Amino acid sequence: DAGVIQSPRHEVTEMGQEVTLRCKPISGHNSLFWYRQTMMRGLELLIYFNNNVPIDDSGMPEDRFSAKMPNASFSTLKIQPSEPRDSAVYFCASSFLRLSSYNEQFFGPGTRLTVL
Amino acid sequence: KNEVEQSPQNLTAQEGEFITINCSYSVGISALHWLQQHPGGGIVSLFMLSSGKKKHGRLIATINIQEKHSSLHITASHPRDSAVYICAVQGGSEKLVFGKGTKLTVNP
């Protein structure tokens, strides 16, 4: 398996522009997570889906952020409009949730976002 | 106070040394994860445990649920072990709460 795939790997944009990050989870996994990592705050969960349904979006910073999972093999994280403080590395991860049993999460390589 | 505290923040060791990284948490958990982040940025899951001890090669992870404490040990450390080690706890859902990480440097 190719693992979790994220694109783009690097994104540089100007303040005010729309940014879309993409993620393809490992085939067969039913949970998908979006994380953000900054020097100041470390790793933080933004949102996670189970069976394509958003379960917890309490980490989404504000209305400028939105995430979708239209099918089991694709998810997007959109920032509109982007701001310099959104600069961070965004990770996508996936796992397989069995009934009453948690499993390890597999992380993608991350997207390094720079907003000028 | 963060829910997950790691110590030390930074650790420098000589090749061959035994290394211990500590993680304390303040909430009830269903599982605790240890992750490794390579200098290139990639994140790999090392262990997921809810009780006792797990061993994988030179890495050992232990957890004491009563004391809300976990340790990650590396025996016979090697420069390739240099990375950031992150502790994360999982409550009643799949959500992970992360510590700030421990940056380990192993010198030859």
Side-chain angles (χ1 to χ4, degrees), chain B residues 30-97:
Chain B
S30 57
L32 183 142
H33 300 246
W34 282 103
L35 309 169
Q36 180 192 55
Q37 186 166 27
H38 302 293
I43 298 175
V44 175
S45 175
L46 297 175
F47 295 103
M48 185 183 77
L49 65 166
S50 56
S51 65
K53 180 169 77 172
K54 286 192 176 180
K55 184 176 189 292
H56 185 257
R58 296 180 293 107
L59 274 59
I60 303 166
T62 64
I63 188 168
N64 185 318
I65 297 293
Q66 286 73 30
E67 295 186 2
K68 293 187 168 61
H69 181 268
S70 176
S71 293
L72 177 68
H73 305 286
I74 305 175
T75 60
S77 60
H78 190 276
R80 65 175 175 266
D81 297 326
S82 297
V84 176
Y85 292 84
I86 302 169
C87 171
V89 299
Q90 191 168 19
S93 71
E94 291 191 272
K95 180 176 180 176
L96 291 181
V97 177

Side-chain angles (χ1 to χ4, degrees), chain A residues 72-86:
Chain A
S73 59
F74 184 66
S75 177
T76 59
L77 178 68
K78 187 176 294 186
I79 308 173
Q80 166 64 15
S82 57
E83 296 182 3
R85 60 191 167 122
D86 301 330

Side-chain angles (χ1 to χ4, degrees), chain A residues 22-37:
Chain A
R22 295 173 176 80
C23 176
K24 176 178 168 55
I26 291 173
S27 177
H29 282 188
N30 57 4
S31 291
L32 182 141
F33 308 81
W34 281 102
Y35 296 103
R36 179 171 68 177
Q37 185 178 39

Side-chain angles (χ1 to χ4, degrees), chain A residues 4-69:
Chain A
V4 177
I5 299 172
Q6 290 187 248
S7 64
R9 293 292 305 276
H10 301 272
E11 177 80 32
V12 180
T13 190
E14 292 188 346
M15 183 174 65
Q17 296 298 305
E18 177 179 297
V19 175
T20 299
L21 310 182
R22 295 173 176 80
C23 176
K24 176 178 168 55
I26 291 173
S27 177
H29 282 188
N30 57 4
S31 291
L32 182 141
F33 308 81
W34 281 102
Y35 296 103
R36 179 171 68 177
Q37 185 178 39
T38 61
M39 289 292 293
M40 290 296 295
R41 300 173 67 91
L43 269 166
E44 301 175 288
L45 176 71
L46 298 176
I47 184 171
Y48 82 90
F49 297 83
N50 181 252
N51 291 325
N52 313 336
V53 175
I55 302 299
D56 186 336
D57 65 355
S58 59
M60 294 287 264
E62 49 199 89
D63 291 346
R64 298 185 298 108
F65 284 68
S66 63
K68 294 183 179 180
M69 192 163 186

